[in-house]
């Protein structure tokens, strides 16, 4: 993936005319979205609107039915070799942690850089310990995921994604499976990542987090992007009736 995309003003992620269908269901169409280097874009919207599907299209877990996605100036293709190359630069964190249960915390974090990127183990391990320290889990290197809390597991999942040196991080409701008292520790790690300049696309229902951390909020609804803009516009003074309806529903909930 070529570097220097920001120098040319090119977005890191450029989505044009994206369409996704499942059989007769059109999830979205005509989606245009740019994400620039170091930008934090928060996707919100009603259940079933296609937020997860859009993120999954960005890292090639789902295939578009129309339109294009470019990452770092490179067209997302669907041949295995191209997908694997692209995925090394795109980290994804899901709702349900997806850690390897038979590996220790350290094993989970070192696995991809050692095996997929084939970097020297000693270097990978040292960096993994540093990443686990960064997410507050330096003392958990040798335990198995089953002995961790949900918030700890999710922080391991973030460290594991970071170990591949991604240029882009995708988060799909990373806190929605957590007990309320564990949400903050995961959001704090994400906020620190944003402050370091990580480019992120985040699906979340945490409106306070969106308000504080998002550069841009994108409302996905009615088969496309219904509204987007800075959080103080989309969340506090939405221009569309669709956004007002959605926010009212969220607040009532
Ligand atoms: N693999 C699939 N096969 C068929 N339909 C699917 C598939 N994945 C998603 N869908 C449908 O596509 C639509 C969008 O789903 P998606 O999971 O992207 O929504 P979402 O915005 O992430 O919702 P939520 O907030 O509930 O997570 C839904 O109607 C869903 O049922
Ligand atoms: Mg979803």
């Amino acid at each position: 993936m070529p570097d220097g995309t920001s120098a040319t003003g090119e977005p890191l992620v450029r989505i044009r005319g994206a369409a996704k269908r499942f059989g007769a269901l059109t999830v979205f169409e005509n989606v245009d979205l740019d994400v620039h280097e170091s930008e934090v874009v928060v996707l919100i919207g009603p259940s079933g609107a296609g937020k997860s599907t859009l993120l999954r299209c960005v890292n090639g877990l789902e295939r578009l039915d129309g339109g294009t996605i470019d990452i770092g100036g490179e067209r997302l293709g669907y041949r295995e070799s191209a997908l694997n190359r692209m995925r090394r630069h795109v980290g994804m964190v899901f709702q349900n942690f997806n850690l390897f249960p038979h590996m220790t915390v350290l094993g989970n974090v070192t696995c991809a850089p050692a095996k997929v990127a084939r970097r020297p183990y000693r270097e990978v391990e040292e960096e993994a310990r540093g990443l686990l320290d960064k997410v507050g889990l330096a003392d958990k290197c040798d335990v198995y995921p089953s002995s961790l809390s949900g918030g700890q597991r999710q922080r391991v999942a973030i460290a594991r994604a970071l170990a591949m040196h991604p240029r882009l991080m995708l988060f799909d409701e990373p806190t929605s499976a957590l007990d309320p008292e564990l949400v903050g520790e995961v959001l704090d790690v994400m906020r620190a990542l944003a402050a370091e300049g990580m480019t992120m696309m985040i699906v979340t229902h945490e409106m306070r987090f969106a308000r504080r951390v998002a550069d841009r909020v994108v409302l996905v609804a009615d088969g496309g992007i219904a509204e987007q803009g800075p959080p103080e516009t989309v969340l506090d003074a939405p221009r569309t009736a669709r956004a007002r309806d959605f926010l009212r529903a969220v607040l009532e909930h």
Side-chain angles (χ1 to χ4, degrees):
M1 203 178 292
D3 279 314
T5 43
S6 57
T8 61
E10 275 292 297
L12 182 60
V13 182
R14 177 197 288 270
I15 302 174
R16 286 293 177 274
K20 179 66 192 171
R21 299 179 194 92
F22 291 111
L25 172 74
T26 296
V27 182
F28 52 76
E29 54 191 354
N30 300 321
V31 167
D32 295 340
L33 182 66
D34 286 345
V35 181
H36 289 87
E37 209 119 17
S38 295
E39 199 178 14
V40 177
V41 171
V42 167
L43 305 170
I44 60 173
S47 181
K51 306 176 297 296
S52 297
T53 302
L54 184 59
L55 277 197
R56 291 166 62 81
C57 286
V58 171
N59 80 345
L61 284 172
E62 296 284 357
R63 195 176 177 146
L64 287 182
D65 294 300
T68 57
I69 297 178
D70 296 315
I71 300 177
E74 214 171 295
R75 181 64 41 95
L76 178 55
Y78 297 102
R79 283 208 317 274
E80 190 120 352
S81 57
L83 269 182
N84 287 338
R85 195 153 36 92
M86 180 277 296
R87 286 205 185 110
R88 286 193 198 180
H89 301 279
V90 180
M92 182 143 183
V93 175
F94 301 88
Q95 185 173 339
N96 289 314
F97 327 128
N98 298 88
L99 297 178
F100 301 118
H102 60 289
M103 287 183 191
T104 64
V105 164
L106 190 65
N108 268 278
V109 179
T110 55
C111 171
K115 298 216 170 100
V116 181
R118 300 216 181 106
R119 290 167 46 206
Y121 186 78
R122 205 197 300 241
E123 172 195 312
V124 165
E125 182 186 327
E126 190 180 317
E127 188 181 300
R129 288 183 186 278
L131 286 169
L132 286 164
D133 185 41
K134 183 169 151 171
V135 301
L137 295 173
D139 57 335
K140 297 291 186 191
C141 287
D142 300 321
V143 309
Y144 286 85
S146 57
S147 69
L148 297 177
S149 72
Q152 290 170 331
R153 282 182 214 187
Q154 199 58 308
R155 285 183 283 146
V156 174
I158 294 171
R160 184 178 61 173
L162 292 176
M164 288 297 276
H165 301 171
R167 291 185 67 190
L168 170 69
M169 284 285 285
L170 309 176
F171 291 88
D172 192 359
E173 301 201 36
T175 61
S176 55
L178 300 178
D179 292 335
E181 73 272 20
L182 302 179
V183 168
E185 65 193 50
V186 174
L187 294 181
D188 284 346
V189 167
M190 293 168 64
R191 189 176 304 138
L193 268 185
E196 285 173 13
M198 177 61 75
T199 311
M200 309 204 273
M201 296 176 74
I202 304 169
V203 176
T204 185
H205 298 293
E206 298 289 338
M207 294 297 161
R208 268 183 37 198
F209 174 84
R211 197 172 268 114
R212 287 177 62 178
V213 180
D215 295 302
R216 191 145 44 95
V217 174
V218 173
L219 172 65
V220 181
D222 302 335
I225 293 178
E227 178 161 345
Q228 62 172 309
E232 54 279 16
T233 307
V234 177
L235 301 180
D236 298 330
R239 285 172 284 116
T240 61
R242 191 69 193 82
R244 284 192 290 276
D245 287 349
F246 173 70
L247 292 166
R248 192 175 313 123
V250 168
L251 285 178
E252 277 166 16
H253 191 72

